[in-house]
Amino acid sequence: MRIITGKYKGRHFDIPRSFKARPTTDFAKENIFNVLTGYLDFEGATALDLFSGTGSITLELLSRGCSQVVSVELDRDHHRFIQQCLQKLSQGDGSFVTSQISQNNRPPVTALRGDVFRFVKSCKQQFDFIFADPPYALKELPTITDLIFEKGLLKPEGIFVFEHGKDHDFSAHPHFVEHRCYGSVNFSIFR
């Protein structure tokens, strides 16, 4: 897993073979972020990474200059791996510290271990960018988009990207903007 661009461009992290998570491929990640630059300036944005898995998107968002990234992952080992990656970045050049306070009096990255659905239902914050990459077989997967909008987690001009398998079509959703497919990886973009 590597960071595609930004402050930490080129940094690599080896994912343990025992992980159940399938990280977003570098090819898909690079292409979707190229599309997203037409929608959003990540510099200074607030972001939410749901079903963080390996933390690949969290690290990419941090590297691209987000002022705050909240990462939510349930699996204990995956959460620990995300924390280790953040620690390695902190040690790399000394400029990133998870306890450092940003302009909005929040740490730049908050890596939470917990259930995404509980988090979304109790979250009171709005974000400029939300990314969700649930397990493709998750039975609640079709409800996630509605839940994000019902709870008002996205700022009015914000962007929500939902990674999913080919078996799901969200084009009829009232907030749907476009669909992108890179190999077996599908992204639906909402606003």
Side-chain angles (χ1 to χ4, degrees), residues 5 26 35 45 53 68 77 85-86 97 106 109 138 141 145 147-148 154 173 175-176:
T5 196
D26 287 349
V35 169
Q68 182 197 17
D77 294 333
C85 290
L86 292 169
V97 181
R106 294 188 176 109
V109 178
L138 185 71
L141 186 142
T145 301
L147 189 59
I148 295 293
L154 199 61
H173 194 280
H175 293 278
F176 178 82

Side-chain angles (χ1 to χ4, degrees), residues 7 10 32 38 41 58 63 69 72 79 84-85 94 124 152 160-161 165 169 172 188:
K7 183 177 183 177
I32 194 62
D41 180 5
T58 293
S63 183
V69 181
V72 184
H79 177 258
Q84 290 168 353
C85 290
K124 303 295 184 221
F160 170 45
V161 174
D169 178 5
S188 289

Side-chain angles (χ1 to χ4, degrees), residues 49 52 55-63 69-71 82 86 109:
D49 182 12
S52 300
S56 173
I57 299 299
T58 293
L59 298 173
E60 192 69 38
L61 292 167
L62 180 65
S63 183
V69 181
V70 177
S71 168
I82 294 167
L86 292 169
V109 178

Side-chain angles (χ1 to χ4, degrees), residues 82-191:
I82 294 167
Q83 290 180 312
Q84 290 168 353
C85 290
L86 292 169
Q87 186 62 34
K88 286 178 185 175
L89 286 183
S90 174
Q91 294 169 351
D93 64 6
S95 66
F96 171 71
V97 181
T98 55
S99 62
Q100 137 191 13
I101 302 300
S102 64
Q103 301 168 0
N104 56 11
N105 294 324
R106 294 188 176 109
V109 178
T110 304
L112 302 173
R113 180 172 172 246
D115 179 79
V116 165
F117 294 97
R118 284 187 187 162
F119 173 84
V120 168
K121 289 175 182 174
S122 65
C123 183
K124 303 295 184 221
Q125 183 178 352
Q126 289 189 315
F127 298 90
D128 297 300
F129 180 74
I130 300 174
F131 187 91
D133 179 12
Y136 290 180
L138 185 71
K139 67 178 181 175
E140 298 92 353
L141 186 142
T143 68
I144 294 169
T145 301
D146 286 335
L147 189 59
I148 295 293
F149 286 99
E150 285 169 11
K151 295 299 177 182
L153 298 187
L154 199 61
K155 289 182 180 177
E157 294 301 313
I159 294 293
F160 170 45
V161 174
F162 192 44
E163 183 176 334
H164 55 85
K166 63 181 179 178
D167 299 334
H168 295 280
D169 178 5
F170 295 95
S171 60
H173 194 280
H175 293 278
F176 178 82
V177 176
E178 70 174 293
H179 173 261
R180 295 291 176 125
C181 181
Y182 306 105
S184 62
V185 181
N186 289 266
F187 297 102
S188 289
I189 302 173
F190 303 87
R191 174 167 256 165

